[in-house]
Amino acid sequence: MSEYIKHIIDLEELPDYKCIQFLRVEILTFKGLNPSFFGRVRYARNGIEQDEGLAMDLSKGIFIATLRDDQLNGITRDELERTLQDAADDITKIVRYNLPFEDLYRSHNRWDQNEEKVGKEIEKKTIKILNKILTEYPYLTYDEDHSEPPEILRCRVNNDSTNSSRHANDIYEIVKKLRTETRQPYSIGSYGGSSNGNDDLDKVWTRFSLRISNFEENARNN
């Protein structure tokens, strides 16, 4: 029996359409195979989740199933089809943004996207993850001007926190959390700051960098 993973992507950020409410997308990935580009969209009518889902071709961003005539319940066919067309684009964007990193890398050509566009999606998601981690360390901030995401990420001590205590161990905690969240082999590139021979660098550092080891090789292999 084939083993599979079911990816479930929530659609709560979609608006409530008048005739149908989209709840989530379910995508099956079978072990040893590339992820499927077909998903099942679960939906509700009048606040009640329906037993059947609507199939989508996520590589084309279109629904390939619709409601039967006996399921329309007072809405017109034209109204339903317009709703499905409007929702399909937004659902596809949400799925592409939320798929695991390795699926994006492995399948970006089949998404009919060029490498630059996929790279932008990965950059955006990586920065979002890092900023979320940094909320646990209020004296630190992401250094956007000097970073090269997702390969090199730089952080610094906030300007109003230069005299606050800091701990080198925080950097190790951050890189560990980043590896877990992104599933990428981040490591500490460097850390430092202005100091003299009598300073303890572990207490006066003001910046550090995080780097993916063998970034291009990992991107090709995933």
Side-chain angles (χ1 to χ4, degrees):
M1 184 175 181
S2 298
E3 296 182 34
Y4 66 87
I5 299 172
K6 180 187 286 187
H7 300 286
I8 299 177
I9 300 172
D10 193 84
L11 299 176
E12 63 180 5
E13 61 189 88
L14 283 182
D16 262 353
Y17 294 93
K18 180 180 178 181
C19 59
I20 189 170
Q21 300 84 48
F22 300 101
L23 305 176
R24 61 189 179 277
V25 183
E26 299 173 351
I27 305 169
L28 295 183
T29 298
F30 288 89
K31 188 174 182 180
L33 299 176
N34 283 339
S36 170
F37 290 88
F38 295 92
R40 184 174 299 277
V41 179
R42 297 294 180 179
Y43 68 95
R45 299 288 307 281
N46 300 317
I48 301 173
E49 182 172 348
Q50 304 298 298
D51 293 334
E52 298 178 0
L54 295 175
M56 276 194 71
D57 182 338
L58 296 165
S59 66
K60 297 178 180 177
I62 59 173
F63 279 96
I64 54 176
T66 187
L67 301 185
R68 300 187 305 271
D69 288 344
D70 63 328
Q71 295 175 310
L72 293 178
N73 294 334
I75 63 172
T76 66
R77 174 65 62 185
D78 286 345
E79 182 181 7
L80 173 65
E81 297 306 323
R82 284 197 302 270
T83 298
L84 294 181
Q85 289 176 17
D86 290 342
D89 285 342
D90 289 334
I91 291 173
T92 303
K93 290 176 183 176
I94 291 172
V95 170
R96 291 177 178 178
Y97 181 76
N98 284 280
L99 273 179
F101 274 68
E102 63 268 26
D103 289 353
L104 275 173
Y105 277 130
R106 183 168 56 231
S107 59
H108 67 270
N109 286 330
R110 293 186 63 188
W111 281 124
D112 195 26
Q113 293 180 304
N114 58 41
E115 292 186 19
E116 181 179 359
K117 189 170 183 179
V118 172
K120 291 295 183 183
E121 290 182 2
I122 295 171
E123 287 178 18
K124 184 178 178 180
K125 188 168 185 178
T126 303
I127 294 169
K128 182 178 180 180
I129 290 171
L130 178 58
N131 280 327
K132 182 179 179 181
I133 293 171
L134 291 178
T135 60
E136 301 175 33
Y137 308 88
Y139 69 94
L140 294 173
T141 190
Y142 171 61
D143 189 349
E144 181 178 6
D145 292 338
H146 298 94
S147 294
E148 301 172 32
E151 184 178 4
I152 302 173
L153 305 173
R154 291 187 169 89
C155 301
R156 59 178 174 79
V157 174
N158 292 318
N159 291 333
D160 56 357
S161 302
T162 52
N163 294 321
S164 64
S165 62
R166 72 287 311 263
H167 307 281
N169 190 55
D170 289 348
I171 304 175
Y172 291 92
E173 290 180 357
I174 291 168
V175 73
K176 183 178 179 180
K177 293 173 182 177
L178 190 64
R179 283 199 298 260
T180 299
E181 292 294 325
T182 63
R183 307 181 191 180
Q184 293 297 321
Y186 278 99
S187 60
I188 298 173
S190 63
Y191 78 100
S194 299
S195 62
N196 57 51
N198 296 321
D199 289 330
D200 182 350
L201 186 57
D202 285 348
K203 296 181 179 179
V204 301
W205 58 268
T206 57
R207 62 183 182 273
F208 64 89
S209 66
L210 308 175
R211 180 186 297 269
I212 297 180
S213 304
N214 301 320
F215 174 73
E216 292 183 358
E217 180 179 346
N218 278 287
R220 287 195 300 270
N221 291 336
N222 280 322

